[in-house]
């Protein structure tokens, strides 16, 4: 797991901008984040889509069973592709919430039932925002924590993400290459070659994954990931 700030610090060290014990100041971190997000956008244009796992917490509303999730939604965050697992924190205790398929959720007869805390979560991956359905509806404003897979279009500075194998290395070295002219540095041939090699390896892995089929009928507890596993 890593953060954008961690990637930026490592890239600045590879670029010769920082020494081992130095950290970027606020302006440097902001500039580095902008360049990292530009790099991600460029990779998307190259058909290299970054997937990552994120752990996030959202406050529930008493008696409310359904919540939209996505940019500007009730749960305002990047829309998940898949929710891996979930739990509710109530009174300092964490209670597991089981993820279920659309079919299993549809079989619940009275979905508006209210309980102490949700025991079941169903996720509808619609666009532009997804929908999280909970059963039973929460009785209090507890916190729902979800572990989800997302397509990354941009980072926030301190968001914790779990990148697919090889992506962290590729982002660090390729960001280092882009940072050097900004700071008047000369990139080393070793860093340049690793940047090229790591991107080529990711491209090969993505192309191999695209040959695999995604069965959209699988339940939420099953593995629908077609490119990488943790």
């Amino acid at each position: 797991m890593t953060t954008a700030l961690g990637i930026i610090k490592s890239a600045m060290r590879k670029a010769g901008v920082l020494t081992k014990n130095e950290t970027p100041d606020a302006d440097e971190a902001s500039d580095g984040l902008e360049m990292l997000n530009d790099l991600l956008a460029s990779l998307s244009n190259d058909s290299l889509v970054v997937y990552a796992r994120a752990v996030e917490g959202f406050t529930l509303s008493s008696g409310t069973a359904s919540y939209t999730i996505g940019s500007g939604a009730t749960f305002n965050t990047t829309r998940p592709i898949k929710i891996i697992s979930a739990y509710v924190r109530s009174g300092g205790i964490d209670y597991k919430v089981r993820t279920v398929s659309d079919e299993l959720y549809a079989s619940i007869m009275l979905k508006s039932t209210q309980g102490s805390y949700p025991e079941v979560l169903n996720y509808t991956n619609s666009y532009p925002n997804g929908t999280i359905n909970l059963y039973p509806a929460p009785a209090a404003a507890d916190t729902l924590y979800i572990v989800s897979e997302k397509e990354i279009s941009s980072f926030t500075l301190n968001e914790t993400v779990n990148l697919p194998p090889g992506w962290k290395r590729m982002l660090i070295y390729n960001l280092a290459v882009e940072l050097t002219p900004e700071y008047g540095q000369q990139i080393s041939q070793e860093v340049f070659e690793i940047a090229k090699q790591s991107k080529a390896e990711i491209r090969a892995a993505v192309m191999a994954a695209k040959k695999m089929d995604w069965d959209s009928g699988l339940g939420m507890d099953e593995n629908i990931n077609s490119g990488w596993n943790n």
Side-chain angles (χ1 to χ4, degrees):
M1 299 177 76
T2 188
T3 62
L5 182 58
I7 291 172
I8 292 165
K9 288 197 304 187
S10 295
M12 285 185 166
R13 289 165 185 161
K14 303 294 184 190
V17 177
L18 299 176
T19 63
K20 182 177 181 179
N21 296 321
E22 290 180 322
T23 58
D25 61 29
D27 286 341
E28 290 171 336
S30 178
D31 291 343
L33 180 64
E34 182 178 358
M35 295 184 73
L36 176 58
N37 285 332
D38 286 345
L39 175 60
L40 286 170
S42 178
L43 291 171
S44 295
N45 289 332
D46 194 23
S47 297
L48 300 183
V49 181
V50 187
Y51 290 90
R53 284 190 178 178
V55 181
E56 298 171 289
F58 303 98
T59 302
L60 300 174
S61 298
S62 176
T64 301
S66 294
Y67 303 82
T68 56
I69 182 168
S71 178
T74 306
F75 295 164
N76 188 16
T77 183
T78 303
R79 178 179 60 90
I81 296 168
K82 177 188 176 185
I83 293 179
I84 306 299
S85 61
Y87 61 92
V88 169
R89 180 164 295 167
S90 178
I93 301 175
D94 293 342
Y95 299 92
K96 178 179 173 60
V97 179
R98 185 164 61 100
T99 57
V100 300
S101 66
D102 292 344
E103 292 78 10
L104 205 158
Y105 180 72
S107 70
I108 299 173
M109 297 182 65
L110 189 58
K111 297 179 176 62
S112 60
T113 298
Q114 188 167 313
S116 298
Y117 56 87
E119 298 178 14
V120 163
L121 180 150
N122 167 259
Y123 179 55
T124 301
N125 183 14
S126 50
Y127 185 85
N129 294 322
T131 301
I132 291 175
N133 300 304
L134 301 174
Y135 177 84
D142 294 323
T143 302
L144 173 70
Y145 288 90
I146 61 171
V147 179
S148 66
E149 288 177 358
K150 300 184 178 187
E151 179 179 330
I152 298 180
S153 56
S154 63
F155 278 110
T156 56
L157 196 60
N158 294 301
E159 177 184 5
T160 299
V161 293
N162 189 358
L163 294 168
W167 276 95
K168 180 180 176 182
R169 179 172 181 257
M170 186 273 291
L171 290 174
I172 288 172
Y173 278 88
N174 281 272
L175 180 59
V177 171
E178 301 206 7
L179 283 169
T180 49
E182 183 79 10
Y183 289 90
Q185 300 292 322
Q186 184 70 35
I187 196 69
S188 71
Q189 188 63 30
E190 179 184 11
V191 170
F192 182 74
E193 290 299 327
I194 292 175
K196 285 202 306 180
Q197 176 192 4
S198 60
K199 187 186 287 187
E201 290 171 352
I202 295 296
R203 184 178 290 111
V206 169
M207 293 307 296
K210 284 183 177 179
K211 298 175 183 177
M212 302 175 69
D213 294 327
W214 175 15
D215 181 0
S216 60
L218 291 176
M220 291 301 293
D221 280 332
E222 299 181 68
N223 180 16
I224 62 170
N225 209 2
S226 62
W228 60 283
N229 294 302
N230 280 344

